[in-house]
Amino acid sequence: MGDSQYSFSLTTFSPSGKLVQIEYALMAVGSGQTSLGIKAANGVVIATEKKLPSILVDETSVQKIQSLTPNIGVVYSGMGPDFRVLVRKSRKQAQQYYRLYKEQIPVTQLVRETAAVMQEFTQSGGVRPFGVSLLVAGFDADGPQLYQVDPSGSYFSWKASAMGKNVSNAKSFLEKRYTDDMELDDAVHTAILTLKEGFEGQISSKNIEIGIIGTDRNFRVLTPSEVDDYLGEVE
Amino acid sequence: MSIFEYNGSALVAMVGKNCFAIASDRRLGVQLQTIATDFQRISKIHEKLYIGLAGLATDAQTLYQRLVFRHKLYQLREERDMKPETFANLVSAILYEKRFGPYFCQPVIAGLGDNDEPFICTMDSIGAKELAKDFVVGGTASESLYGACESMYKPDMEAEELFETISQALLASVDRDCLSGWGGHVFVVTPTEVIERTLKGRMD
């Protein structure tokens, strides 16, 4: 950044030992739309609300759940544009790994590298932390995995987790409902019920998005008709 | 005189039944003068992965150090050993990085992969991989080695027979090449053990 007036780090310690910018970033996440993830015995499901600002918005053009590699997907809570930047960087890192080793990147490695990027933005000149928390879902040689990555760059492996507006209710709901031997289908039902808990208005395939990955190791976002089927089963 | 023929070398790797063997000569020369008769051309990356580097000795040593560095970091990050196929791809990428100022080396890689399946490959000095199911050769004696291996090789040999075959192929070939020889160094690797042997051939 050179001699610019902003070449110092904006993320500086407060006297109490906190990095206030990161705290604020977490607040930006906390006021974002709810998203959650559940790790089943044979796969992982991630889901999010997709509340659009007006009925005139073409909901098919908005995709909140993205894939990073054929076997890793990601969802977020917080600022959409920041999410897009991270998706781009992570996809590039995954492809660089493949070019070097001709092997798909393991989920833990990709999470670690993405987290390293997020950490860089808390210790560099003239930049601000990312205003998103990510939920990364993947299936590799170590089985199904679910990771949460925060604006600070810390990451945690979860059996089930939620982020965003309704996080405390969602998490207590998940704690009650989660079992270690859940199958992927049960996990999808649980995910929908958890989203329903804090949902304002009528839940439908137009205002939620669900992504799954199973033993086929192929991450995909469910089509609206598939989501409708699951919603029907849950009613 | 080609830079690849400055030090002289002979390398060969063969696939057996659930095992592999990799062998090299022991001469290190400076053109026509012999400097050392105990030069190590084959090095271990991990228990089930070996790499032999033919060509210019200084590049072979430096390249080996770089590869060990990369592999150690990989082991720390991923908490596992690299598979031979993955390692071969890494070597190829590293060699191509220096496309317009290359390492003057020809690697021969041999390892046991998933389910202890033997894997061998060689590549040129800028990373063009060549996989083979039977044998791969490298170094100044490579032309003789191709001939010797082609006639002596059979598939699915057990460790003992593989050792005999690879040793005969190596010793016969280096006798036809003035820049390699002074004995041989053979590693035979099975899922349970590694046997390292030194061969005595024509000491010239």
Side-chain angles (χ1 to χ4, degrees), chain A residues 3 5 10 28 42 53 55 62 102 125 144 150 159 178 182 203:
Chain A
D3 296 325
Q5 279 180 297
L10 301 173
N42 60 340
I55 52 164
V62 179
K102 233 165 153 203
D150 276 345
K159 296 181 192 171
Y178 183 81
M182 227 187 234
I203 197 171

mmCIF file of all heavy atoms in Angstrom, chain A residues 3 5 10 28 42 53 55 62 102 125 144 150 159 178 182 203:
data_model
loop_
_atom_site.group_PDB
_atom_site.id
_atom_site.type_symbol
_atom_site.label_atom_id
_atom_site.label_comp_id
_atom_site.label_asym_id
_atom_site.label_seq_id
_atom_site.Cartn_x
_atom_site.Cartn_y
_atom_site.Cartn_z
ATOM 1 N N ASP A 3 2.974 4.624 0.688
ATOM 2 C CA ASP A 3 2.934 5.800 1.564
ATOM 3 C C ASP A 3 1.536 6.348 1.767
ATOM 4 O O ASP A 3 1.367 7.457 2.239
ATOM 5 C CB ASP A 3 3.800 6.918 0.953
ATOM 6 C CG ASP A 3 5.250 6.505 0.894
ATOM 7 O OD1 ASP A 3 5.670 5.790 1.815
ATOM 8 O OD2 ASP A 3 5.941 6.896 -0.063
ATOM 9 N N GLN A 5 -2.092 7.274 3.171
ATOM 10 C CA GLN A 5 -2.495 7.585 4.552
ATOM 11 C C GLN A 5 -3.130 6.387 5.240
ATOM 12 O O GLN A 5 -3.276 6.390 6.442
ATOM 13 C CB GLN A 5 -3.521 8.719 4.549
ATOM 14 C CG GLN A 5 -2.898 10.095 4.423
ATOM 15 C CD GLN A 5 -3.988 11.151 4.433
ATOM 16 O OE1 GLN A 5 -4.829 11.192 3.557
ATOM 17 N NE2 GLN A 5 -3.960 11.985 5.451
ATOM 18 N N LEU A 10 -6.227 -1.344 9.725
ATOM 19 C CA LEU A 10 -7.407 -0.771 10.375
ATOM 20 C C LEU A 10 -7.907 -1.672 11.499
ATOM 21 O O LEU A 10 -8.724 -1.275 12.311
ATOM 22 C CB LEU A 10 -8.528 -0.576 9.338
ATOM 23 C CG LEU A 10 -8.136 0.348 8.174
ATOM 24 C CD1 LEU A 10 -9.233 0.343 7.129
ATOM 25 C CD2 LEU A 10 -7.890 1.745 8.677
ATOM 26 N N ALA A 28 -22.123 -7.987 11.611
ATOM 27 C CA ALA A 28 -22.667 -7.973 10.242
ATOM 28 C C ALA A 28 -23.157 -9.364 9.870
ATOM 29 O O ALA A 28 -24.203 -9.537 9.228
ATOM 30 C CB ALA A 28 -21.599 -7.503 9.253
ATOM 31 N N ASN A 42 -23.856 -40.175 6.164
ATOM 32 C CA ASN A 42 -23.473 -40.476 4.787
ATOM 33 C C ASN A 42 -23.512 -39.236 3.897
ATOM 34 O O ASN A 42 -23.703 -39.343 2.693
ATOM 35 C CB ASN A 42 -24.396 -41.554 4.212
ATOM 36 C CG ASN A 42 -25.852 -41.100 4.225
ATOM 37 O OD1 ASN A 42 -26.217 -40.186 4.957
ATOM 38 N ND2 ASN A 42 -26.689 -41.735 3.425
ATOM 39 N N PRO A 53 -35.414 -8.808 -1.673
ATOM 40 C CA PRO A 53 -35.987 -7.514 -1.240
ATOM 41 C C PRO A 53 -37.349 -7.185 -1.856
ATOM 42 O O PRO A 53 -38.102 -6.407 -1.297
ATOM 43 C CB PRO A 53 -34.932 -6.492 -1.696
ATOM 44 C CG PRO A 53 -34.061 -7.204 -2.640
ATOM 45 C CD PRO A 53 -34.141 -8.647 -2.368
ATOM 46 N N ILE A 55 -40.756 -8.782 -4.675
ATOM 47 C CA ILE A 55 -41.229 -9.915 -5.488
ATOM 48 C C ILE A 55 -40.841 -9.761 -6.947
ATOM 49 O O ILE A 55 -40.936 -10.689 -7.737
ATOM 50 C CB ILE A 55 -42.764 -10.096 -5.393
ATOM 51 C CG1 ILE A 55 -43.464 -8.763 -5.710
ATOM 52 C CG2 ILE A 55 -43.158 -10.593 -4.020
ATOM 53 C CD1 ILE A 55 -44.941 -8.949 -6.005
ATOM 54 N N VAL A 62 -30.472 -15.559 -8.396
ATOM 55 C CA VAL A 62 -29.733 -15.452 -7.141
ATOM 56 C C VAL A 62 -29.351 -16.848 -6.691
ATOM 57 O O VAL A 62 -30.204 -17.707 -6.533
ATOM 58 C CB VAL A 62 -30.607 -14.802 -6.045
ATOM 59 C CG1 VAL A 62 -29.837 -14.727 -4.738
ATOM 60 C CG2 VAL A 62 -31.062 -13.437 -6.488
ATOM 61 N N LYS A 102 -2.568 -33.094 -9.143
ATOM 62 C CA LYS A 102 -3.561 -33.856 -9.913
ATOM 63 C C LYS A 102 -4.469 -34.670 -9.003
ATOM 64 O O LYS A 102 -4.855 -35.792 -9.323
ATOM 65 C CB LYS A 102 -2.872 -34.762 -10.926
ATOM 66 C CG LYS A 102 -3.457 -34.494 -12.295
ATOM 67 C CD LYS A 102 -2.695 -35.023 -13.425
ATOM 68 C CE LYS A 102 -3.648 -35.291 -14.584
ATOM 69 N NZ LYS A 102 -3.101 -36.260 -15.491
ATOM 70 N N GLY A 125 -2.653 -3.681 5.469
ATOM 71 C CA GLY A 125 -2.901 -2.255 5.413
ATOM 72 C C GLY A 125 -4.071 -1.901 4.518
ATOM 73 O O GLY A 125 -4.193 -2.402 3.416
ATOM 74 N N PRO A 144 -17.655 -37.351 5.304
ATOM 75 C CA PRO A 144 -18.368 -36.074 5.222
ATOM 76 C C PRO A 144 -17.821 -35.100 6.263
ATOM 77 O O PRO A 144 -17.475 -35.510 7.368
ATOM 78 C CB PRO A 144 -19.817 -36.454 5.553
ATOM 79 C CG PRO A 144 -19.743 -37.733 6.283
ATOM 80 C CD PRO A 144 -18.474 -38.416 5.901
ATOM 81 N N ASP A 150 -14.926 -18.080 10.214
ATOM 82 C CA ASP A 150 -15.365 -16.760 10.673
ATOM 83 C C ASP A 150 -14.535 -15.626 10.071
ATOM 84 O O ASP A 150 -13.441 -15.891 9.555
ATOM 85 C CB ASP A 150 -15.254 -16.701 12.199
ATOM 86 C CG ASP A 150 -16.462 -17.297 12.859
ATOM 87 O OD1 ASP A 150 -17.488 -17.484 12.169
ATOM 88 O OD2 ASP A 150 -16.383 -17.602 14.062
ATOM 89 N N LYS A 159 -20.716 -30.776 13.813
ATOM 90 C CA LYS A 159 -21.655 -31.824 13.425
ATOM 91 C C LYS A 159 -22.906 -31.151 12.875
ATOM 92 O O LYS A 159 -23.543 -31.635 11.939
ATOM 93 C CB LYS A 159 -22.036 -32.684 14.622
ATOM 94 C CG LYS A 159 -20.866 -33.438 15.200
ATOM 95 C CD LYS A 159 -21.305 -34.298 16.360
ATOM 96 C CE LYS A 159 -20.125 -34.823 17.139
ATOM 97 N NZ LYS A 159 -20.548 -35.469 18.382
ATOM 98 N N TYR A 178 -30.320 -33.342 16.776
ATOM 99 C CA TYR A 178 -29.212 -34.004 16.080
ATOM 100 C C TYR A 178 -28.926 -35.384 16.657
ATOM 101 O O TYR A 178 -28.893 -35.568 17.874
ATOM 102 C CB TYR A 178 -27.946 -33.145 16.155
ATOM 103 C CG TYR A 178 -26.801 -33.750 15.386
ATOM 104 C CD1 TYR A 178 -26.709 -33.589 14.007
ATOM 105 C CD2 TYR A 178 -25.832 -34.525 16.021
ATOM 106 C CE1 TYR A 178 -25.678 -34.171 13.280
ATOM 107 C CE2 TYR A 178 -24.804 -35.094 15.312
ATOM 108 C CZ TYR A 178 -24.729 -34.915 13.946
ATOM 109 O OH TYR A 178 -23.707 -35.495 13.234
ATOM 110 N N MET A 182 -27.735 -40.049 11.848
ATOM 111 C CA MET A 182 -28.721 -39.496 10.913
ATOM 112 C C MET A 182 -28.334 -39.792 9.480
ATOM 113 O O MET A 182 -27.171 -39.704 9.110
ATOM 114 C CB MET A 182 -28.684 -37.975 11.074
ATOM 115 C CG MET A 182 -29.996 -37.320 11.197
ATOM 116 S SD MET A 182 -29.739 -35.569 11.170
ATOM 117 C CE MET A 182 -30.568 -35.138 12.636
ATOM 118 N N ILE A 203 -42.843 -20.528 4.241
ATOM 119 C CA ILE A 203 -41.625 -21.124 3.662
ATOM 120 C C ILE A 203 -42.012 -21.822 2.358
ATOM 121 O O ILE A 203 -43.055 -22.457 2.260
ATOM 122 C CB ILE A 203 -40.981 -22.098 4.681
ATOM 123 C CG1 ILE A 203 -39.546 -22.409 4.296
ATOM 124 C CG2 ILE A 203 -41.770 -23.385 4.790
ATOM 125 C CD1 ILE A 203 -38.803 -23.175 5.368
#
